Amino acid sequence: MEVTRLSLWVLVALAAVLQPARPQTSKPNIVFILADDLGWNDLSFHGSDEIPTPNIDALAFNGVVLNNLYTQPVCTPSRVALMTGKYPIKLGMQGPPTYGAEPNGLPLSEKLLPEYLRELGYTTRAIGKWHLGFYKPAYTPTRRGFDSHFGYYTGYVSYYDYILQDVYQNFGEFQGFDMRRNDTIAWDVAGKYATDVFTDEAVRLIKEQPADRPLFMYLAHVAVHTGNRGKNLEAPQSEINKFNHILDPNRRTYAAMVSKLDESVGRVVEALAEKNILQNTIIVFMSDNGSPSFDSSGRNYGSNVGVTANWGSNFPYRGIKNTLWEGGVKSASFIWAPQFQENPRVSKQLMHITDWLPTLYSAAGGNPGFLPKNLDGYDQWTSLTLNLPSLRNFVLLNIDEKQRYAGILKDNWKLIVGSTANGSLDGFFGATRPRTPYNASAVLYSPTGRALARLSNSLPFAAGGSPLSGVRDLLAMRYESTIRCNPSAEGPRARSPCPPGEACLFDLASDPCETNNVAKKYVTVSGQLYEALKYYRRLLVPQTNRPFDPAANPARFNNTWSSWMLY
């Protein structure tokens, strides 16, 4: 059966190459959905029985679940890696996120993903969070390869008023509105829920996209990042009421925020189907890093490094956002495309967020040989489509020369040197209790599930089978994508197994929750990884975070966050 299906797929692919040109573009549309601070255990396709995410699950279970994709530990560096295909250490962007009043940004010398795709004929759209600098207009999205941007420049905003409040030593609090359509302040969105507003824009742009041009849409949600003090978590009350089975009121509101994110995915897929371009679209979904989590008392463990808890969960992984533990750098992610729908799977292929630039460029018909040779990302498109081994076996997690910690991977081995916040974030946070049985039928009959089922009837290579439609197959894939281990019963108070001042080695194949330091048992492996870290350390550009500038105060610009240096 598999040989027959593969042969049929090859024939269809050959026919597609030989068929005459069509009015509709043959290049795939690309929709990249980036969640913010979403925890591994906050999506039901990873085994969570607390927050149903049927639309996200339907895409994941009809595509390739990426169970081994790594990001940077915080948001600006992750976006740097995504947009450039380079490790942030090479650009001095490996440290903390860029602040609103910081005259800093992704170096203008770098060519970004949307610029590469625009050269291939793509319409490029950015929606939502930017967080790569805006102190000069040259750093803003429409000057960096995007045809349009509807969203905000800074690291986060509250979900209804679109205000960012930042407190700066010596300057006090700066607060201002941060939402715009290209260069025009979008005052009209105040009072509307951010996740809905961004989704509305995505649906509108999909409907208006010309049929003869491929679309690259970068949908970077604020969800599920915390907002400002006093309103950290926000969601419509009607959505919160759906989660009365969750006792913690903060976790309940957070669940509603995740649910609205899931609804957004469903609406985007429906819009693609109604436009009749879903069959020619690639969809990537991922989180920029792990969740800044919580313990059972709601204590904010990340406050001493500027991380505010959002009540997400990375369980059963160790650590949270801003750490190099799996809970901080392992992304909840998948890729969907029509060719994956015939043979969906859970992938253990090693990937890093830098891989998306060359991978999507290749998927879009570009020749990866024309890309710069100094990229750190690998073109994984062939590996993903043909289920071949990953082209990479090393991943540099980060080197923070100021905080004095670093981490690197080779295959199933992981080496960590140093710690974040004096080890206070080394525990197991965000443990949840199963509250509701998994509803596989809700996945199959979600808006996304129905759209994919309709799509399968129009795909010629679906003649030998159908998309993942049986509950039994769906549950089997969910079981495979769920991580199981027995982390320390100490929970958030669990100490790191790494002795102070020593490197720590883990075998993630047998110990995915990083409980057993085997550095002394596998001295040769530890030495190899340490030498690799030393190699990357020689390539490091010192962090470029700059002193805050009082001229950035939104009070100078009608209480809006705006570029304050024109040249």
Side-chain angles (χ1 to χ4, degrees):
M1 177 64 74
E2 293 301 321
V3 173
T4 302
R5 290 184 185 178
L6 180 60
S7 301
L8 186 58
W9 183 89
V10 171
L11 290 174
V12 170
L14 182 61
V17 172
L18 297 177
Q19 69 182 4
R22 299 173 295 172
Q24 189 177 43
T25 177
S26 59
K27 291 182 181 294
N29 303 288
I30 301 170
V31 177
F32 198 105
I33 304 174
L34 188 64
D36 199 343
D37 288 2
L38 181 66
W40 181 271
N41 191 41
D42 295 327
L43 299 171
S44 50
F45 80 79
H46 272 318
S48 173
D49 286 324
E50 198 173 43
I51 308 174
T53 50
N55 289 288
I56 291 173
D57 290 15
L59 272 179
F61 291 147
N62 280 280
V64 180
V65 176
L66 302 172
N67 256 24
N68 210 18
L69 171 67
Y70 286 87
T71 67
Q72 300 302 121
V74 289
C75 33
T76 295
S78 283
R79 286 162 171 76
V80 168
L82 170 65
M83 288 294 166
T84 65
K86 294 181 180 180
Y87 290 136
I89 65 158
K90 293 184 176 180
L91 303 171
M93 302 291 289
Q94 66 272 20
T98 301
Y99 289 86
E102 182 182 348
N104 195 16
L106 177 55
L108 298 179
S109 58
E110 297 304 310
K111 186 175 180 178
L112 307 191
L113 173 60
E115 296 178 275
Y116 287 107
L117 293 178
R118 193 154 66 177
E119 290 178 350
L120 297 178
Y122 276 75
T123 302
T124 56
R125 305 293 192 187
I127 302 171
K129 177 173 176 173
W130 180 236
H131 210 191
L132 290 172
F134 68 97
Y135 76 104
K136 293 181 180 180
Y139 288 85
T140 58
T142 55
R143 281 82 168 180
R144 306 301 302 265
F146 284 105
D147 296 326
S148 67
H149 173 235
F150 175 71
Y152 58 104
Y153 289 161
T154 56
Y156 65 90
V157 289
S158 290
Y159 285 73
Y160 285 102
D161 62 20
Y162 301 93
I163 288 174
L164 168 68
Q165 298 169 272
D166 262 351
V167 177
Y168 298 101
Q169 189 177 10
N170 301 326
F171 304 135
E173 182 176 273
F174 291 178
Q175 60 175 305
F177 186 84
D178 189 13
M179 189 68 179
R180 54 188 29 83
R181 292 182 178 87
N182 300 320
D183 295 329
T184 303
I185 302 299
W187 296 106
D188 59 293
V189 303
K192 301 175 183 177
Y193 191 63
T195 305
D196 292 336
V197 166
F198 294 141
T199 307
D200 290 344
E201 177 72 359
V203 169
R204 182 186 71 82
L205 291 174
I206 290 169
K207 288 180 178 179
E208 296 178 358
Q209 177 67 18
D212 60 347
R213 289 198 67 187
L215 170 68
F216 170 58
M217 178 175 288
Y218 173 55
L219 177 53
H221 279 285
V222 63
V224 285
H225 199 291
T226 51
N228 295 295
R229 296 182 308 279
K231 46 188 173 182
N232 285 341
L233 306 175
E234 295 182 289
Q237 189 61 48
S238 59
E239 199 72 23
I240 297 172
N241 292 342
K242 297 177 182 178
F243 294 93
N244 288 332
H245 60 278
I246 299 178
L247 301 181
D248 186 318
N250 290 304
R251 176 70 174 170
R252 189 184 309 139
T253 302
Y254 178 84
M257 294 161 68
V258 175
S259 183
K260 291 295 290 183
L261 179 63
D262 179 75
E263 177 188 299
S264 170
V265 171
R267 290 183 58 200
V268 168
V269 172
E270 280 188 309
L272 293 166
E274 291 171 4
K275 182 72 172 180
N276 197 31
I277 59 174
L278 181 60
Q279 69 274 16
N280 190 34
T281 298
I282 298 167
I283 301 174
V284 176
F285 178 94
M286 66 175 295
S287 179
D288 61 344
N289 42 248
S291 164
S293 200
F294 67 103
D295 70 358
S296 58
S297 66
R299 178 180 172 188
N300 180 10
Y301 275 81
S303 59
N304 55 345
V305 288
V307 176
T308 303
N310 68 356
W311 276 262
S313 172
N314 306 310
F315 211 73
Y317 285 136
R318 180 190 289 274
I320 65 173
K321 173 184 178 178
N322 210 54
T323 75
L324 297 183
W325 301 112
E326 296 290 275
V329 292
K330 182 70 80 71
S331 175
S333 54
F334 62 81
I335 181 172
W336 178 90
Q339 55 264 54
F340 300 141
Q341 187 158 314
E342 174 66 7
N343 289 295
R345 70 182 191 276
V346 176
S347 168
K348 296 181 180 178
Q349 292 154 305
L350 183 61
M351 290 186 65
H352 185 255
I353 191 170
T354 54
D355 294 343
W356 287 123
L357 189 153
T359 297
L360 295 177
Y361 183 78
S362 177
N367 184 345
F370 294 156
L371 293 174
K373 304 304 179 185
N374 62 345
L375 297 187
D376 296 297
Y378 287 80
D379 171 17
Q380 304 278 18
W381 185 241
T382 300
S383 297
L384 289 170
T385 53
L386 299 181
N387 195 14
L388 299 174
S390 171
L391 291 182
R392 71 159 62 242
N393 56 2
F394 275 96
V395 167
L396 176 68
L397 296 175
N398 200 27
I399 301 174
D400 190 315
E401 77 280 16
K402 290 186 177 181
Q403 299 296 323
R404 301 186 63 79
Y405 69 84
I408 194 168
L409 286 160
K410 181 181 184 296
D411 299 323
N412 57 297
W413 301 102
K414 179 177 180 180
L415 187 78
I416 292 181
V417 180
S419 64
T420 308
N422 296 317
S424 64
L425 309 180
D426 293 343
F428 297 91
F429 301 82
T432 61
R433 300 177 183 176
R435 294 291 182 181
T436 57
Y438 188 66
N439 187 347
S441 296
V443 176
L444 299 176
Y445 293 101
S446 65
T448 297
R450 291 195 299 267
L452 298 184
R454 292 191 299 269
L455 177 65
S456 69
N457 295 326
S458 66
L459 294 177
F461 54 80
S466 62
L468 192 62
S469 57
V471 170
R472 180 180 300 175
D473 290 339
L474 187 152
L475 293 177
M477 196 165 173
R478 183 174 186 253
Y479 182 88
E480 188 179 354
S481 67
T482 301
I483 299 299
R484 295 170 184 83
C485 50
N486 296 307
S488 170
E490 294 179 281
R493 295 180 301 277
R495 296 181 179 180
S496 167
C498 307
E502 295 185 17
C504 206
L505 181 70
F506 299 98
D507 179 1
L508 298 178
S510 60
D511 181 25
C513 290
E514 301 168 293
T515 59
N516 185 25
N517 176 16
V518 294
K520 294 183 179 179
K521 183 177 180 180
Y522 298 98
V523 177
T524 301
V525 175
S526 298
Q528 290 176 343
L529 288 174
Y530 195 76
E531 287 300 314
L533 269 182
K534 289 167 61 178
Y535 164 77
Y536 283 112
R537 181 62 179 86
R538 291 193 291 270
L539 303 178
L540 181 143
V541 173
Q543 292 178 36
T544 58
N545 292 91
R546 297 169 182 169
F548 302 133
D549 187 350
N553 193 336
R556 300 181 62 238
F557 304 97
N558 195 24
N559 296 310
T560 65
W561 289 95
S562 302
S563 301
W564 67 95
M565 294 185 187
L566 296 183
Y567 306 104

